[in-house]
PDB file of all heavy atoms in Angstrom:
ATOM      1  N   VAL B  14       0.813  -1.177   0.001  1.00  0.00           N
ATOM      2  CA  VAL B  14       0.004  -0.003   0.004  1.00  0.00           C
ATOM      3  C   VAL B  14       0.859   1.248   0.018  1.00  0.00           C
ATOM      4  O   VAL B  14       1.969   1.239   0.560  1.00  0.00           O
ATOM      5  CB  VAL B  14      -0.944   0.065   1.201  1.00  0.00           C
ATOM      6  CG1 VAL B  14      -0.213   0.122   2.564  1.00  0.00           C
ATOM      7  CG2 VAL B  14      -1.991   1.133   1.113  1.00  0.00           C
ATOM      8  N   TYR B  15       0.453   2.262  -0.719  1.00  0.00           N
ATOM      9  CA  TYR B  15       1.041   3.570  -0.638  1.00  0.00           C
ATOM     10  C   TYR B  15      -0.090   4.623  -0.650  1.00  0.00           C
ATOM     11  O   TYR B  15      -1.121   4.353  -1.257  1.00  0.00           O
ATOM     12  CB  TYR B  15       2.106   3.819  -1.642  1.00  0.00           C
ATOM     13  CG  TYR B  15       1.587   4.160  -3.052  1.00  0.00           C
ATOM     14  CD1 TYR B  15       1.510   5.446  -3.494  1.00  0.00           C
ATOM     15  CD2 TYR B  15       1.065   3.151  -3.878  1.00  0.00           C
ATOM     16  CE1 TYR B  15       1.032   5.816  -4.736  1.00  0.00           C
ATOM     17  CE2 TYR B  15       0.640   3.434  -5.129  1.00  0.00           C
ATOM     18  CZ  TYR B  15       0.555   4.818  -5.574  1.00  0.00           C
ATOM     19  OH  TYR B  15       0.046   5.097  -6.816  1.00  0.00           O
ATOM     20  N   THR B  16       0.119   5.712   0.035  1.00  0.00           N
ATOM     21  CA  THR B  16      -0.855   6.738   0.045  1.00  0.00           C
ATOM     22  C   THR B  16      -0.217   8.047   0.381  1.00  0.00           C
ATOM     23  O   THR B  16       0.948   8.091   0.897  1.00  0.00           O
ATOM     24  CB  THR B  16      -1.951   6.423   1.154  1.00  0.00           C
ATOM     25  OG1 THR B  16      -2.967   7.483   1.066  1.00  0.00           O
ATOM     26  CG2 THR B  16      -1.401   6.415   2.552  1.00  0.00           C
ATOM     27  N   SER B  17      -0.843   9.204   0.008  1.00  0.00           N
ATOM     28  CA  SER B  17      -0.435  10.471   0.437  1.00  0.00           C
ATOM     29  C   SER B  17      -1.546  11.448   0.322  1.00  0.00           C
ATOM     30  O   SER B  17      -2.449  11.266  -0.517  1.00  0.00           O
ATOM     31  CB  SER B  17       0.776  10.991  -0.411  1.00  0.00           C
ATOM     32  OG  SER B  17       0.383  11.249  -1.737  1.00  0.00           O
ATOM     33  N   ASN B  18      -1.520  12.462   1.144  1.00  0.00           N
ATOM     34  CA  ASN B  18      -2.518  13.551   1.019  1.00  0.00           C
ATOM     35  C   ASN B  18      -1.793  14.734   0.308  1.00  0.00           C
ATOM     36  O   ASN B  18      -0.804  15.232   0.824  1.00  0.00           O
ATOM     37  CB  ASN B  18      -2.957  13.961   2.457  1.00  0.00           C
ATOM     38  CG  ASN B  18      -4.036  14.992   2.380  1.00  0.00           C
ATOM     39  OD1 ASN B  18      -3.972  16.016   1.722  1.00  0.00           O
ATOM     40  ND2 ASN B  18      -5.176  14.745   3.144  1.00  0.00           N
ATOM     41  N   ALA B  19      -2.293  15.139  -0.775  1.00  0.00           N
ATOM     42  CA  ALA B  19      -1.633  16.150  -1.594  1.00  0.00           C
ATOM     43  C   ALA B  19      -1.500  17.507  -0.873  1.00  0.00           C
ATOM     44  O   ALA B  19      -0.584  18.221  -1.113  1.00  0.00           O
ATOM     45  CB  ALA B  19      -2.320  16.326  -2.946  1.00  0.00           C
ATOM     46  N   THR B  20      -2.451  17.791  -0.048  1.00  0.00           N
ATOM     47  CA  THR B  20      -2.407  19.109   0.634  1.00  0.00           C
ATOM     48  C   THR B  20      -1.899  18.992   2.075  1.00  0.00           C
ATOM     49  O   THR B  20      -1.421  19.986   2.605  1.00  0.00           O
ATOM     50  CB  THR B  20      -3.877  19.646   0.700  1.00  0.00           C
ATOM     51  OG1 THR B  20      -4.727  18.760   1.378  1.00  0.00           O
ATOM     52  CG2 THR B  20      -4.398  19.921  -0.653  1.00  0.00           C
ATOM     53  N   SER B  21      -1.886  17.809   2.667  1.00  0.00           N
ATOM     54  CA  SER B  21      -1.385  17.662   4.047  1.00  0.00           C
ATOM     55  C   SER B  21      -0.536  16.353   4.126  1.00  0.00           C
ATOM     56  O   SER B  21      -1.002  15.363   4.818  1.00  0.00           O
ATOM     57  CB  SER B  21      -2.542  17.687   5.020  1.00  0.00           C
ATOM     58  OG  SER B  21      -1.995  17.530   6.335  1.00  0.00           O
ATOM     59  N   PRO B  22       0.631  16.268   3.532  1.00  0.00           N
ATOM     60  CA  PRO B  22       1.388  15.087   3.558  1.00  0.00           C
ATOM     61  C   PRO B  22       1.881  14.716   4.987  1.00  0.00           C
ATOM     62  O   PRO B  22       2.237  13.566   5.229  1.00  0.00           O
ATOM     63  CB  PRO B  22       2.634  15.409   2.631  1.00  0.00           C
ATOM     64  CG  PRO B  22       2.666  16.864   2.577  1.00  0.00           C
ATOM     65  CD  PRO B  22       1.257  17.329   2.701  1.00  0.00           C
ATOM     66  N   ALA B  23       1.923  15.657   5.931  1.00  0.00           N
ATOM     67  CA  ALA B  23       2.310  15.383   7.301  1.00  0.00           C
ATOM     68  C   ALA B  23       1.287  14.424   7.904  1.00  0.00           C
ATOM     69  O   ALA B  23       1.650  13.666   8.821  1.00  0.00           O
ATOM     70  CB  ALA B  23       2.457  16.685   8.096  1.00  0.00           C
ATOM     71  N   ALA B  24       0.027  14.500   7.517  1.00  0.00           N
ATOM     72  CA  ALA B  24      -0.971  13.624   8.086  1.00  0.00           C
ATOM     73  C   ALA B  24      -1.044  12.316   7.360  1.00  0.00           C
ATOM     74  O   ALA B  24      -1.430  11.251   8.038  1.00  0.00           O
ATOM     75  CB  ALA B  24      -2.326  14.335   7.998  1.00  0.00           C
ATOM     76  N   GLU B  25      -0.779  12.234   6.090  1.00  0.00           N
ATOM     77  CA  GLU B  25      -0.852  11.014   5.336  1.00  0.00           C
ATOM     78  C   GLU B  25       0.152  10.923   4.246  1.00  0.00           C
ATOM     79  O   GLU B  25       0.155  11.777   3.342  1.00  0.00           O
ATOM     80  CB  GLU B  25      -2.303  10.925   4.698  1.00  0.00           C
ATOM     81  CG  GLU B  25      -2.555   9.597   4.040  1.00  0.00           C
ATOM     82  CD  GLU B  25      -4.096   9.335   3.813  1.00  0.00           C
ATOM     83  OE1 GLU B  25      -4.874   9.727   4.642  1.00  0.00           O
ATOM     84  OE2 GLU B  25      -4.344   8.616   2.847  1.00  0.00           O
ATOM     85  N   ASN B  26       1.029   9.966   4.360  1.00  0.00           N
ATOM     86  CA  ASN B  26       2.119   9.870   3.430  1.00  0.00           C
ATOM     87  C   ASN B  26       2.766   8.462   3.482  1.00  0.00           C
ATOM     88  O   ASN B  26       2.487   7.708   4.425  1.00  0.00           O
ATOM     89  CB  ASN B  26       3.188  10.928   3.643  1.00  0.00           C
ATOM     90  CG  ASN B  26       3.899  11.375   2.375  1.00  0.00           C
ATOM     91  OD1 ASN B  26       3.762  10.714   1.265  1.00  0.00           O
ATOM     92  ND2 ASN B  26       4.651  12.420   2.469  1.00  0.00           N
ATOM     93  N   THR B  27       3.645   8.188   2.536  1.00  0.00           N
ATOM     94  CA  THR B  27       4.357   6.873   2.503  1.00  0.00           C
ATOM     95  C   THR B  27       5.812   7.122   2.085  1.00  0.00           C
ATOM     96  O   THR B  27       6.068   7.850   1.148  1.00  0.00           O
ATOM     97  CB  THR B  27       3.767   5.902   1.490  1.00  0.00           C
ATOM     98  OG1 THR B  27       2.328   5.874   1.742  1.00  0.00           O
ATOM     99  CG2 THR B  27       4.325   4.555   1.662  1.00  0.00           C
ATOM    100  N   ARG B  28       6.778   6.544   2.821  1.00  0.00           N
ATOM    101  CA  ARG B  28       8.097   6.580   2.475  1.00  0.00           C
ATOM    102  C   ARG B  28       8.543   5.196   2.106  1.00  0.00           C
ATOM    103  O   ARG B  28       8.597   4.269   2.802  1.00  0.00           O
ATOM    104  CB  ARG B  28       8.983   7.036   3.666  1.00  0.00           C
ATOM    105  CG  ARG B  28      10.436   7.403   3.241  1.00  0.00           C
ATOM    106  CD  ARG B  28      11.304   7.612   4.441  1.00  0.00           C
ATOM    107  NE  ARG B  28      11.739   6.440   5.128  1.00  0.00           N
ATOM    108  CZ  ARG B  28      12.492   6.423   6.226  1.00  0.00           C
ATOM    109  NH1 ARG B  28      12.863   7.559   6.825  1.00  0.00           N
ATOM    110  NH2 ARG B  28      12.851   5.252   6.756  1.00  0.00           N
ATOM    111  N   ILE B  29       8.893   5.087   0.808  1.00  0.00           N
ATOM    112  CA  ILE B  29       9.281   3.797   0.242  1.00  0.00           C
ATOM    113  C   ILE B  29      10.798   3.708   0.059  1.00  0.00           C
ATOM    114  O   ILE B  29      11.342   4.694  -0.482  1.00  0.00           O
ATOM    115  CB  ILE B  29       8.587   3.633  -1.202  1.00  0.00           C
ATOM    116  CG1 ILE B  29       7.072   3.549  -0.976  1.00  0.00           C
ATOM    117  CG2 ILE B  29       9.113   2.344  -1.888  1.00  0.00           C
ATOM    118  CD1 ILE B  29       6.251   3.655  -2.274  1.00  0.00           C
ATOM    119  N   SER B  30      11.349   2.653   0.438  1.00  0.00           N
ATOM    120  CA  SER B  30      12.807   2.460   0.240  1.00  0.00           C
ATOM    121  C   SER B  30      13.099   1.226  -0.546  1.00  0.00           C
ATOM    122  O   SER B  30      12.401   0.146  -0.388  1.00  0.00           O
ATOM    123  CB  SER B  30      13.600   2.466   1.553  1.00  0.00           C
ATOM    124  OG  SER B  30      13.311   1.298   2.258  1.00  0.00           O
ATOM    125  N   ILE B  31      14.093   1.229  -1.413  1.00  0.00           N
ATOM    126  CA  ILE B  31      14.506   0.058  -2.206  1.00  0.00           C
ATOM    127  C   ILE B  31      16.016   0.045  -2.234  1.00  0.00           C
ATOM    128  O   ILE B  31      16.667   1.062  -2.526  1.00  0.00           O
ATOM    129  CB  ILE B  31      13.889   0.116  -3.620  1.00  0.00           C
ATOM    130  CG1 ILE B  31      14.252  -1.171  -4.396  1.00  0.00           C
ATOM    131  CG2 ILE B  31      14.237   1.367  -4.368  1.00  0.00           C
ATOM    132  CD1 ILE B  31      13.463  -1.390  -5.690  1.00  0.00           C
ATOM    133  N   THR B  32      16.560  -1.137  -1.967  1.00  0.00           N
ATOM    134  CA  THR B  32      18.003  -1.232  -1.872  1.00  0.00           C
ATOM    135  C   THR B  32      18.555  -2.331  -2.791  1.00  0.00           C
ATOM    136  O   THR B  32      17.969  -3.390  -2.882  1.00  0.00           O
ATOM    137  CB  THR B  32      18.442  -1.621  -0.405  1.00  0.00           C
ATOM    138  OG1 THR B  32      17.965  -0.593   0.497  1.00  0.00           O
ATOM    139  CG2 THR B  32      19.904  -1.827  -0.253  1.00  0.00           C
ATOM    140  N   ASN B  33      19.616  -1.952  -3.455  1.00  0.00           N
ATOM    141  CA  ASN B  33      20.395  -2.910  -4.284  1.00  0.00           C
ATOM    142  C   ASN B  33      21.503  -3.538  -3.430  1.00  0.00           C
ATOM    143  O   ASN B  33      22.517  -2.905  -3.176  1.00  0.00           O
ATOM    144  CB  ASN B  33      21.006  -2.218  -5.451  1.00  0.00           C
ATOM    145  CG  ASN B  33      21.893  -3.133  -6.326  1.00  0.00           C
ATOM    146  OD1 ASN B  33      21.899  -4.309  -6.150  1.00  0.00           O
ATOM    147  ND2 ASN B  33      22.648  -2.513  -7.272  1.00  0.00           N
ATOM    148  N   SER B  34      21.311  -4.735  -2.936  1.00  0.00           N
ATOM    149  CA  SER B  34      22.238  -5.397  -2.105  1.00  0.00           C
ATOM    150  C   SER B  34      23.249  -6.242  -2.938  1.00  0.00           C
ATOM    151  O   SER B  34      24.090  -6.987  -2.319  1.00  0.00           O
ATOM    152  CB  SER B  34      21.550  -6.340  -1.073  1.00  0.00           C
ATOM    153  OG  SER B  34      20.982  -7.419  -1.753  1.00  0.00           O
ATOM    154  N   GLY B  35      23.180  -6.141  -4.230  1.00  0.00           N
ATOM    155  CA  GLY B  35      24.020  -6.993  -5.079  1.00  0.00           C
ATOM    156  C   GLY B  35      25.280  -6.349  -5.694  1.00  0.00           C
ATOM    157  O   GLY B  35      25.647  -5.229  -5.275  1.00  0.00           O
ATOM    158  N   PRO B  36      25.959  -7.076  -6.532  1.00  0.00           N
ATOM    159  CA  PRO B  36      27.261  -6.723  -6.993  1.00  0.00           C
ATOM    160  C   PRO B  36      27.352  -5.836  -8.225  1.00  0.00           C
ATOM    161  O   PRO B  36      28.427  -5.544  -8.695  1.00  0.00           O
ATOM    162  CB  PRO B  36      27.930  -8.095  -7.280  1.00  0.00           C
ATOM    163  CG  PRO B  36      26.747  -8.919  -7.730  1.00  0.00           C
ATOM    164  CD  PRO B  36      25.554  -8.432  -6.945  1.00  0.00           C
ATOM    165  N   ALA B  37      26.188  -5.411  -8.792  1.00  0.00           N
ATOM    166  CA  ALA B  37      26.188  -4.705 -10.070  1.00  0.00           C
ATOM    167  C   ALA B  37      25.188  -3.531 -10.050  1.00  0.00           C
ATOM    168  O   ALA B  37      24.245  -3.535  -9.147  1.00  0.00           O
ATOM    169  CB  ALA B  37      25.918  -5.624 -11.208  1.00  0.00           C
ATOM    170  N   SER B  38      25.319  -2.632 -10.934  1.00  0.00           N
ATOM    171  CA  SER B  38      24.330  -1.587 -11.116  1.00  0.00           C
ATOM    172  C   SER B  38      23.041  -2.212 -11.739  1.00  0.00           C
ATOM    173  O   SER B  38      23.181  -3.164 -12.604  1.00  0.00           O
ATOM    174  CB  SER B  38      24.846  -0.422 -11.943  1.00  0.00           C
ATOM    175  OG  SER B  38      25.860   0.265 -11.309  1.00  0.00           O
ATOM    176  N   ILE B  39      21.882  -1.698 -11.430  1.00  0.00           N
ATOM    177  CA  ILE B  39      20.645  -2.267 -11.939  1.00  0.00           C
ATOM    178  C   ILE B  39      19.615  -1.223 -12.174  1.00  0.00           C
ATOM    179  O   ILE B  39      19.624  -0.194 -11.416  1.00  0.00           O
ATOM    180  CB  ILE B  39      20.154  -3.345 -10.972  1.00  0.00           C
ATOM    181  CG1 ILE B  39      19.030  -4.232 -11.567  1.00  0.00           C
ATOM    182  CG2 ILE B  39      19.680  -2.743  -9.656  1.00  0.00           C
ATOM    183  CD1 ILE B  39      19.492  -5.144 -12.659  1.00  0.00           C
ATOM    184  N   GLY B  40      18.708  -1.392 -13.085  1.00  0.00           N
ATOM    185  CA  GLY B  40      17.619  -0.530 -13.263  1.00  0.00           C
ATOM    186  C   GLY B  40      16.385  -1.118 -12.521  1.00  0.00           C
ATOM    187  O   GLY B  40      16.270  -2.307 -12.453  1.00  0.00           O
ATOM    188  N   VAL B  41      15.518  -0.306 -12.055  1.00  0.00           N
ATOM    189  CA  VAL B  41      14.286  -0.773 -11.394  1.00  0.00           C
ATOM    190  C   VAL B  41      13.079   0.000 -11.961  1.00  0.00           C
ATOM    191  O   VAL B  41      13.041   1.215 -11.917  1.00  0.00           O
ATOM    192  CB  VAL B  41      14.340  -0.450  -9.874  1.00  0.00           C
ATOM    193  CG1 VAL B  41      13.038  -1.044  -9.234  1.00  0.00           C
ATOM    194  CG2 VAL B  41      15.569  -1.201  -9.240  1.00  0.00           C
ATOM    195  N   HIS B  42      12.223  -0.742 -12.619  1.00  0.00           N
ATOM    196  CA  HIS B  42      11.014  -0.205 -13.226  1.00  0.00           C
ATOM    197  C   HIS B  42       9.894  -0.219 -12.167  1.00  0.00           C
ATOM    198  O   HIS B  42       9.551  -1.283 -11.693  1.00  0.00           O
ATOM    199  CB  HIS B  42      10.583  -1.036 -14.442  1.00  0.00           C
ATOM    200  CG  HIS B  42       9.757  -0.278 -15.415  1.00  0.00           C
ATOM    201  ND1 HIS B  42       9.669  -0.643 -16.740  1.00  0.00           N
ATOM    202  CD2 HIS B  42       8.949   0.785 -15.296  1.00  0.00           C
ATOM    203  CE1 HIS B  42       8.867   0.165 -17.369  1.00  0.00           C
ATOM    204  NE2 HIS B  42       8.365   1.014 -16.548  1.00  0.00           N
TER     205      HIS B  42
END
């Protein structure tokens, strides 16, 4: 799930993180 409030992101928002733990550069779609 992800959500955000366009006018009040302090009340409703999502912080998504993605990590490349591997040995090469990679693209993520």
Side-chain angles (χ1 to χ4, degrees):
V14 64
Y15 77 100
T16 183
S17 71
N18 187 310
T20 59
S21 182
E25 184 161 329
N26 210 349
T27 311
R28 191 187 80 182
I29 297 168
S30 68
I31 182 167
T32 298
N33 173 12
S34 68
S38 295
I39 192 70
V41 181
H42 203 154

